[in-house]
Amino acid sequence: MSAPDVVVLDYGFGNVRSAVRALERVGAAVELTGDPHRAAEADGLVVPGVGAFAAVMAGLREVRGDQIVDRRLAGGRPVLGICVGMQVMFAQGDEHGTLTDGLGEWPGLVDRLEADVVPHMGWATVEPPSGSRLFDGIEDERFYFVHSYAARSFPLEQTADPDLFTAPRVTWADHGGRFVAAVENGPLSATQFHPEKSGDAGAALLRNWVQTLS
């Protein structure tokens, strides 16, 4: 069986080589590229992100990343967002009082953590829901976070009609209050933490995701 084909989207932001190496180590054939055709056709697409919400959105639009993500998800093709790559899946980000539109795959707002120490930097446990595929076998592990902003609510979790569609599986963590640490929503998965920097636990999570691609 051939290795799943994964593209890490290159839009000029962040040190993404660690994500490439981490995915290769768990059995994926990985390419770092901003080519829209390759990003659209790969078995899996990873959207990394570091820095400011607005800057990441501008970089994504430069390589038509907003269109690529939307079209992949409309066709049921898997996408994994990491850190700010997760944050931009929400409707808006609020940085220093300035609102920026995100990709809008989920309703909700990303804003500054309300904690005594910001950024939230270091290892922390998470609270995955039952039935999680991402956290299968690693429910009690710790993961590495570096962020000042997060989604502190997930409106779709409260408004989902179980008769119409399955509600997303939301994983929570705490730093001065609860925030969204990960989401599994059909073909769209995302983590606020960095699995590629989270040692064996992060490798297991990436392996769980890659295994869904085959």
Side-chain angles (χ1 to χ4, degrees), residues 115-126:
D116 292 337
V117 177
V118 176
H120 175 214
M121 183 181 300
W123 297 81
T125 57
V126 299

Side-chain angles (χ1 to χ4, degrees), residues 46-66:
V46 175
V47 181
V50 296
F53 188 106
V56 168
M57 279 303 304
L60 284 173
R61 290 196 174 104
E62 188 72 22
V63 297
R64 294 187 288 170
D66 51 342

Side-chain angles (χ1 to χ4, degrees), residues 88-165:
V88 295
M89 299 298 170
F90 288 88
Q92 287 187 310
D94 180 354
E95 293 176 329
H96 309 294
T98 300
L99 288 175
T100 301
D101 287 339
L103 298 177
E105 299 298 339
W106 301 314
L109 177 71
V110 172
D111 60 3
R112 187 173 173 84
L113 293 167
E114 292 185 350
D116 292 337
V117 177
V118 176
H120 175 214
M121 183 181 300
W123 297 81
T125 57
V126 299
E127 303 167 24
S130 61
S132 168
R133 295 193 69 179
L134 280 184
F135 292 92
D136 184 29
I138 48 172
E139 295 86 353
D140 299 321
E141 298 293 337
R142 295 159 65 88
F143 299 88
Y144 189 76
F145 291 84
V146 184
H147 63 120
S148 299
Y149 295 81
R152 293 182 292 134
S153 67
F154 196 84
L156 205 56
E157 194 177 40
Q158 285 79 45
T159 60
D161 185 339
D163 294 329
L164 296 178
F165 66 96

Side-chain angles (χ1 to χ4, degrees), residues 18-34:
S18 58
V20 171
R21 290 193 297 269
L23 286 157
E24 288 174 339
R25 284 195 293 267
V26 299
V30 189
E31 182 179 359
L32 174 64
T33 180

Side-chain angles (χ1 to χ4, degrees), residues 15 48 84 147:
N15 176 15
V84 186
H147 63 120

